[in-house]
Amino acid sequence: MKVAIVGATGMVGNVMLKVLEERNFPLDELLLVASERSAGKILKYKGKDIKVISIPTAIEARPDIALFSAGGGTSLEWAPKFAEVGTTVIDNSSAWRMDGTKKLIVPEINAGELSKTDKIIANPNCSTIQMVMALAPLHKKYKIKRLVISTYQSVSGTGVKAVEQMENEIAGKEGDMAYPYPIHKNAIPQCDVFEENGYTKEEMKLVNETRKILCDDSIAVTATAVRIPTAGGHSESINVEFESDFDVNDVKQLLSETDGVTLQDNLDENLYPMPMYAHGKDDVFVGRIRRDASQPNTLNLWVVSDNLRKGAATNTVQIAEYLIKNDLV
């Protein structure tokens, strides 16, 4: 089993390396791939030094699986070229997510859709992954009618430059700006660029990807995505209206039994999810579960996850594990 990480020197690429090692991923050869300017750098995997190679060199090596986290433009250009030589690409960018010919996969929810013919597989947006992990079992039982989402997203979701901006501001240093405004002691109600409808691309990902993953275009979705000065972990306030009524205790029981979800909901002990405690973990944490008293069949949830792990690297690796386990690669 020959595996490539394309974008290995980036934030998500580094976490992919860590996740592969932690999960003892069954590989015989690991190719670490980045841009021409990063070729030759040395990264470590299981204590061994591995030299970073260029994308064309990696294609010549014909890996079985390529885990992509190098941006949409790179993916659009190079993923098909890997696929042409027989590589199965699992892409972490937005490039292929809404392509009708590509699967959008969260393994715990819809990995069963995958087949050997899927050579480019899309990994959903980080905010979408953690939300559908909590919502999928509830949708199955009560059927979701409408979602109102507010996100509180870490600077790590923007990348290294944004983390450095926040650290510089905390330290009182001048430096490059990833955002048009300071992020320290601030909240910026803009994640990604604005579209013609007044929503950002990030907000529309929550709308469109949720419907695709849950296979239900009838779900009404509206979202507001906000960047906040946390170093890692995204949080979401979700208001969900169901077609059927529910018992709050049944909802908690269902979520507590859901693979990949951890229930943290004990008001007597002030127990609820927070990004500080989700850091470095793969589960999605759910709490503050309560009925919306303002209208029928409606529930409020607070959902938190490490956006670089389950929101990106871990979900990608889990897809690869599923492919190997089911002899699809």
Side-chain angles (χ1 to χ4, degrees), residues 78-242:
W78 293 103
K81 293 175 182 175
F82 275 92
E84 281 170 15
V85 300
T87 302
T88 299
V89 173
I90 307 168
D91 180 49
N92 200 50
S93 79
S94 60
W96 306 99
R97 290 175 188 157
M98 297 314 299
D99 185 320
T101 66
K102 305 294 185 288
K103 309 284 174 60
L104 185 63
I105 300 297
V106 178
E108 295 91 338
I109 298 171
N110 61 346
E113 295 178 9
L114 292 170
S115 70
K116 280 190 175 182
T117 61
D118 293 308
K119 303 312 284 183
I120 299 177
I121 301 163
N123 196 64
N125 180 45
C126 48
S127 300
T128 306
I129 290 173
Q130 67 185 66
M131 182 174 72
V132 296
M133 281 288 293
L135 293 181
L138 303 180
H139 181 54
K140 197 171 180 182
K141 185 167 184 180
Y142 305 112
K143 195 168 190 324
I144 296 170
K145 190 173 175 183
R146 181 172 188 251
L147 293 168
V148 181
I149 310 144
S150 297
T151 73
Y152 306 78
Q153 298 183 212
S154 137
V155 295
S156 63
T158 306
V160 175
K161 188 177 177 181
V163 175
E164 289 174 351
Q165 176 184 332
M166 186 176 76
E167 288 174 348
N168 285 338
E169 288 170 0
I170 291 169
K173 295 179 184 174
E174 292 288 327
D176 289 341
M177 300 276 285
Y179 305 117
Y181 299 100
I183 187 63
H184 178 49
K185 297 184 178 179
N186 197 16
I188 302 173
Q190 178 188 353
C191 296
D192 214 320
V193 296
F194 288 106
E195 300 196 338
E196 285 186 11
N197 62 4
Y199 288 80
T200 62
K201 281 181 73 175
E202 184 80 8
E203 290 158 355
M204 292 312 299
K205 288 172 190 175
L206 284 160
V207 175
N208 298 320
E209 293 178 25
T210 299
R211 291 172 177 161
K212 183 171 180 178
I213 295 164
L214 297 180
C215 297
D216 192 340
D217 287 339
S218 72
I219 300 172
V221 188
T222 187
T224 301
V226 181
R227 193 72 63 187
I228 62 168
T230 49
H234 290 352
S235 305
E236 297 169 337
S237 171
I238 304 168
N239 181 267
V240 51
E241 180 185 356
F242 298 108

Side-chain angles (χ1 to χ4, degrees), residues 39-100:
K41 282 186 177 178
I42 302 295
L43 298 176
K44 283 193 181 293
Y45 179 71
K46 291 191 172 180
K48 294 179 182 175
D49 289 345
I50 301 178
K51 187 180 285 188
V52 174
I53 60 175
S54 68
I55 293 177
T57 304
I59 292 172
E60 287 175 16
R62 294 173 178 261
D64 299 286
I65 296 172
L67 311 178
F68 262 66
S69 189
T74 300
S75 182
L76 285 170
E77 181 180 359
W78 293 103
K81 293 175 182 175
F82 275 92
E84 281 170 15
V85 300
T87 302
T88 299
V89 173
I90 307 168
D91 180 49
N92 200 50
S93 79
S94 60
W96 306 99
R97 290 175 188 157
M98 297 314 299
D99 185 320

Side-chain angles (χ1 to χ4, degrees), residues 26-44:
L27 59 85
D28 302 300
E29 185 178 352
L30 181 62
L31 307 174
L32 301 183
V33 189
S35 62
E36 293 283 356
R37 69 178 181 275
S38 293
K41 282 186 177 178
I42 302 295
L43 298 176
K44 283 193 181 293

